[in-house]
Every structure is written in structure tokens, then in C-alpha cells.
Amino acid sequence: MPPQAQAQAWLETRLAGEEGPVTMQRDARGRPLLCTPRGCHDCNWSHSGEGLLVALGEHVAVGIDMERLRPRPRALAVAARYFTPGEADWLATQAAGDDRDLAFLRLWCAKEAVLKAHGHGLSFGLHRLRFEDAGGGLVLRDCDPALGLARDWHLRELVPSPGYIGALAWRPRVAG
């Protein structure tokens, strides 16, 4: 079963107790919404390797991303091109090898989760939001005004399964 079908089936089971049918709809940007007669719930999913991670939220915009841990020999080059200068500098201070690969993926997952929650995805630009490591966890410090206020975003870094890393981002749903 394709990842989208697996995600939709799991999400529908979460809302099965609500009255009426559960349908998948898309908002103006193409983001998935799971709707029942009582209202729509934000949902998002990510798959990597053999893993599938799914998020469901009510009254929030959610985005989720996960990546399989593996060597990233081009991490510094990718960061220099697509991340903010401060993030690229921070990444360069990480020990080469597993530490740097993990730091790169933490940033990547955090950025992608926020951009998916907002509905733009990677095409919006990874450089348009800046994270800092605040003593063990990434915090969104600055972002393009189109993403709203950085302080409205919440991020939870995840280890969904051995060999994977991920991030869940959310903020209160903005009308419109």
C-alpha cells in the first residue's frame, strides 16, 4: 500500500468515532485535511526508508518530517547553499561524521516540518527560516513574514524508531 494510502487509512481510524463519513480534502495550497460532518482536522505525513510518520491536529496547522539516518557526505555543501549562514556555520562546528550528519538532519527535518505545516514545502526556501540549537533542542528564531511569527511555531524533535530522526511542527490554525 502506498504511504499516502497507509497514512489516510490510519488517520481515518483516529476519527472513526465521529459521526458521518471521513473524507480527505485539500486546502487552497493542496495541504491535506481530514474532514467529518463536525469539521476538518489538519493532517500530514512523511515517509523515509521503511518508516511512515503521521500527524493529526485539531485547531492547528501541523507538519511532520522524518529521515532515515545515513551518511550525508554533502551536508556542508547543501547547508551552505540552502540554509541560513548561521545554520551553515553551526553545522560546520559539529564533528565530522555521525555528529554532523545528525545535526544536518535535525535542521532539515525541523525546516521541512514547518514548511509543510505552512503549506509551501521546500520550494518556499529553506533559507527563509532560521533555527538555533537552544541547549538540546532546536528553536525557530526567525522566519519570513509569510510564515507568521517565529514565536507562534512549536517544534518537537523526534526519534520515531531506531535509525530515524524526525520533527513535528505546529502552530494555531490561521483563518483563510
Side-chain angles (χ1 to χ4, degrees), residues 9-174:
W10 183 87
L11 288 162
E12 287 174 355
T13 65
R14 303 283 75 78
L15 298 176
E18 295 197 21
E19 299 163 13
V22 177
T23 60
M24 179 74 73
Q25 298 180 17
R26 300 279 177 171
D27 71 9
R29 289 191 182 118
R31 294 187 71 254
L33 297 169
L34 215 55
C35 299
T36 70
R38 291 179 39 197
C40 292
H41 304 269
D42 205 65
C43 58
N44 199 244
W45 54 85
S46 179
H47 60 92
S48 179
E50 296 296 315
L52 174 65
L53 201 53
V54 182
L56 178 66
E58 189 171 6
H59 308 298
V60 295
V62 297
I64 198 155
D65 188 52
M66 79 172 200
E67 296 290 335
R68 186 172 53 90
L69 294 171
R70 61 181 175 78
R72 306 288 171 151
R74 298 193 62 242
L76 289 180
V78 170
R81 181 168 180 185
Y82 296 107
F83 292 0
T84 68
E87 291 166 336
D89 291 346
W90 173 76
L91 192 60
T93 68
Q94 305 302 303
D98 291 346
D99 289 345
R100 185 175 291 154
D101 293 339
L102 180 61
F104 173 81
L105 287 175
R106 287 177 62 211
L107 277 171
W108 183 274
C109 288
K111 286 173 172 280
E112 188 163 356
V114 168
L115 293 176
K116 287 173 73 176
H118 190 256
H120 289 289
L122 296 177
S123 65
F124 185 72
L126 295 169
H127 66 285
R128 295 172 74 179
L129 59 164
R130 179 178 58 86
F131 283 91
E132 288 181 2
D133 189 351
L138 294 175
V139 176
L140 183 61
R141 293 291 189 209
D142 190 34
C143 61
D144 186 288
L147 295 172
L149 299 174
R151 69 174 179 255
D152 292 339
W153 286 97
H154 305 275
L155 182 78
R156 175 78 41 98
E157 293 183 75
L158 308 168
V159 178
S161 183
Y164 290 87
I165 189 168
L168 170 67
W170 72 96
R171 73 165 182 190
R173 171 133 319 267
V174 177

